[in-house]
Amino acid sequence: MTMKKFVFVMMSLVCLCTGCGDDSDEYVSVLPSFSDITFDTDQLYTGMTVTATAVQATKGKLLDRTTYDWVVNDTTTAKVTVIYDNDNGDPVFKFKVPKVAVKTPSTITVKFEGRYNISGQGCKVAESAHATGLSVQSGLSKLIGTVKLSKTFTVYPSAD
């Protein structure tokens, strides 16, 4: 091999190796991370109407059609569908607190599941710290990312 060909081959390899840069994460979908499930009131009472919020610690990116499923005590349910990149606010759910506490405090379990259609080239899960008592599970497939939250809350008897 002549010196010119050798230099040309070496320069081509250098260009090939450095030409891609480090922008590989630019087109990767990221699932949001969640820090807590909260309510619009400090205490829950039987029969009251409240709004639950799944609080995002970090927003996701490159996510398309998304479905949020809420379940309270395996009885009260709701399903909401959004386009995440257009509507990436914290998911909310308004419901009536089940009559679980008649004379003494009791508990309810609130479950949230977000299923995100991945629109990037691959996907990763954003990790973050979350509130005590919040169970967080994340899962990925080639087309769908899932985040599941679960938390138990104390419910007090109604003052009525």
Side-chain angles (χ1 to χ4, degrees):
M1 181 181 310
T2 67
M3 187 60 145
K4 282 185 180 181
K5 283 185 181 178
F6 178 77
V7 170
F8 177 76
V9 169
M10 293 308 286
M11 292 298 286
S12 297
L13 285 174
V14 168
C15 289
L16 181 64
C17 292
T18 61
C20 295
D22 192 21
D23 61 351
S24 59
D25 281 352
E26 184 177 348
Y27 301 107
V28 173
S29 294
V30 179
L31 294 182
S33 66
F34 291 86
S35 60
D36 205 358
I37 295 175
T38 62
F39 292 100
D40 58 350
T41 183
D42 291 336
Q43 289 189 329
L44 300 177
Y45 293 94
T46 291
M48 75 186 300
T49 300
V50 296
T51 301
T53 302
V55 181
Q56 295 177 88
T58 58
K59 304 272 184 175
K61 76 171 196 171
L62 295 177
L63 300 170
D64 197 0
R65 189 170 54 91
T66 298
T67 302
Y68 300 133
D69 287 313
W70 290 89
V71 178
V72 178
N73 269 14
D74 296 326
T75 57
T76 304
T77 63
K79 182 183 292 264
V80 178
T81 301
V82 300
I83 302 298
Y84 185 86
D85 284 340
N86 296 336
D87 185 5
N88 65 0
D90 292 340
V92 295
F93 170 48
K94 190 172 189 171
F95 68 98
K96 192 170 189 173
V97 177
K99 295 189 181 216
V100 294
V102 178
K103 295 186 186 231
T104 60
S106 189
T107 61
I108 61 170
T109 300
V110 177
K111 297 176 184 175
F112 166 84
E113 180 177 342
R115 284 186 308 286
Y116 304 86
N117 284 5
I118 297 165
S119 58
Q121 298 171 354
C123 187
K124 63 183 182 178
V125 178
E127 297 293 333
S128 68
H130 53 271
T132 303
L134 181 69
S135 168
V136 179
Q137 297 176 333
S138 299
L140 293 173
S141 72
K142 288 187 177 197
L143 301 174
I144 304 281
T146 305
V147 177
K148 294 179 182 181
L149 310 176
S150 179
K151 190 171 180 183
T152 300
F153 298 90
T154 300
V155 175
Y156 297 93
S158 175
D160 298 346

